Amino acid sequence: MAGERAAGRPGAGAVLALRLLGAGLTAAMAAIHLRLWATGYADLHVIGALFLLNGIGGGLLALALAAAPARYLGAVAALGALFTAGTLAGLVLALTSGLFGFRETFDAELVRPTLVVESAGVVTLAALAVLARGRAPRRWR
């Protein structure tokens, strides 16, 4: 991975594993939103545009997580955790009280997998942000 100069330091394997898992979960979240956007959600007022933006933003974040130099990894992971948490919060709102006039159901396509992917993404990326921050060179902390 780009910028992984400290590969021999303790915790390097955990950082790499969390980086790969975080990038994969973020890419999966983006893919889910793009698939749903392409199969009908594009026609929903406001929600359609948000699904498209989530798919694009999630794809860019997945690439950034995979390629970020070690000194920036903590910040990129924190941004990814916040982005994913916001997406998860949007889904929870849509499932409970509704969001922008749209109400989702648990039986809708990909709702349950999305809850799992986004929940795991928040936890993984938050852990990566903390671990990467602790491993960043002193001048970057």
Side-chain angles (χ1 to χ4, degrees), residues 74-135:
V76 173
L79 179 64
L82 291 171
F83 183 82
T84 305
T87 302
L88 180 59
L91 176 56
V92 170
L93 278 173
L95 286 166
T96 55
S97 60
L99 184 64
F100 300 111
F102 177 73
R103 182 88 187 246
E104 189 62 270
T105 67
F106 279 102
D107 295 325
E109 183 181 12
L110 298 175
V111 166
R112 288 183 174 100
T114 301
L115 287 168
V116 171
V117 166
E118 291 174 358
S119 297
V122 170
V123 172
T124 299
L125 293 170
L128 177 58
V130 170
L131 190 56
R133 170 87 169 120
R135 293 177 44 83

Side-chain angles (χ1 to χ4, degrees), residues 29-93:
M29 177 186 69
I32 288 168
H33 282 84
L34 289 174
R35 179 166 190 272
L36 291 172
W37 178 82
T39 59
Y41 281 58
D43 299 328
L44 297 174
H45 179 69
V46 181
I47 297 293
L50 291 175
F51 268 58
L52 180 59
L53 290 173
N54 187 286
I56 294 167
L60 292 173
L61 270 170
L63 290 173
L65 284 162
R71 67 178 172 260
Y72 300 124
L73 184 57
V76 173
L79 179 64
L82 291 171
F83 183 82
T84 305
T87 302
L88 180 59
L91 176 56
V92 170
L93 278 173

